[in-house]
Amino acid sequence: MSGGFTGLGVGPGPEGLLPVAALRALQAADVIYAPRSRVSDSSVALDALRGLDFPQDRVQEVEFLMDGDDARIGGHYAALAREIAARGRAGEQVVYLTIGDAMTYSTLGYLVAALRTEAPDLPTRVLPGVTSYATAAALTGFSLGEGKERVLILPCPDDLEALRADLLSHDVTVLMKVGRRLPGVLALLDDLGIAQHCALAHRLGLGGEVVLPSLSAGVPDAAKLGYLSVLLIRRGPPQRFGTKDAEADASHGAP
């Protein structure tokens, strides 16, 4: 068998953030699977590659499935794994795109698990990508963790009181999969008095991009910004060296 499978993360942000290894895999691919939501006119993962040199005539769009039905999701990715395995056994190099890091809240995880079951003989690799929250932090100057700060990466819950407890028990919270909950989350941040310590990024690297280093002035059109958004939340200002806490740590030999 000379074929194989590569899963890779693309975007967010400028195409220059794509790792070199990922670009090489794209350029060597015989077929490139680009997931697309059934309610979208195009594949967001494919949009993130615009301007790059790779064989676009080898792209094949496939349905992005995450409808909450575990049995249906399992069957969907098992069928896709069998299709990919057949291509690999025929000697083809198959690439599957996913947004952000390849294995962070990604549908690629379902596909890799299905491939291990359906085609354990297929050479399979996963190349890491750049997460939306790392990109947002870089663009806004938001520190994702200093010293011994506790950092939580969380898909937004429906229960905002549960979210309140999470925010109060961590120094930094990265809130993903916000969607329609965004107005309620923003109201919670205002209630906690921490909006000024928070940042938001929406559709990074895509049309309609919004990057807000602070939420103290509110978020215009919040009801429209939940999809493909990430929130970076601090429960208080960062403790820099020179503050009392930092000086206390230093006096006890903390690095």
Side-chain angles (χ1 to χ4, degrees), residues 13 129 136 151 235:
V151 179
R235 67 174 180 176

Side-chain angles (χ1 to χ4, degrees), residues 12 99 132-133 136 154-156 174-182 186 199-204 206 208-212 219-232:
I99 305 170
S132 60
Y133 57 84
L154 180 72
C156 187
V174 174
L175 198 60
M176 305 179 70
K177 300 181 181 292
V178 182
R180 57 180 172 75
R181 309 170 192 85
L182 180 58
L186 295 175
L200 178 145
H202 170 71
R203 291 184 62 83
L204 285 166
L206 303 171
E209 177 184 84
V210 175
V211 177
L212 300 175
V219 178
D221 298 322
K224 301 178 181 178
L225 297 184
Y227 180 61
L228 291 180
S229 288
V230 59
L231 278 166
L232 309 179

Side-chain angles (χ1 to χ4, degrees), residues 148-199:
K148 297 180 181 180
E149 288 182 331
R150 289 166 51 83
V151 179
L152 173 66
I153 303 172
L154 180 72
C156 187
D158 290 320
D159 184 350
L160 292 183
E161 285 307 305
L163 177 59
R164 180 192 294 268
D166 286 325
L167 298 184
L168 292 176
S169 59
H170 294 82
D171 301 292
V172 175
T173 300
V174 174
L175 198 60
M176 305 179 70
K177 300 181 181 292
V178 182
R180 57 180 172 75
R181 309 170 192 85
L182 180 58
V185 173
L186 295 175
L188 173 60
L189 299 181
D190 284 335
D191 183 59
L192 292 173
I194 61 174
Q196 70 272 26
H197 305 310
C198 305

Side-chain angles (χ1 to χ4, degrees), residues 125-138:
R125 64 173 179 163
V126 174
L127 300 179
V130 180
T131 63
S132 60
Y133 57 84
T135 305

Side-chain angles (χ1 to χ4, degrees), residues 20 40 89 107 208:
V20 173
S40 177
R89 292 182 181 121
T107 57

Side-chain angles (χ1 to χ4, degrees), residues 105-126:
Y105 289 114
S106 168
T107 57
L108 180 61
Y110 295 96
L111 181 55
V112 169
L115 282 169
R116 288 172 179 162
T117 299
E118 302 288 339
D121 57 327
L122 180 69
T124 297
R125 64 173 179 163
V126 174

Side-chain angles (χ1 to χ4, degrees), residues 29-44:
D30 295 297
V31 61
I32 301 167
Y33 285 92
R36 177 175 64 86
S37 167
R38 62 176 56 182
V39 299
S40 177
D41 294 330
S42 63
S43 165
V44 175

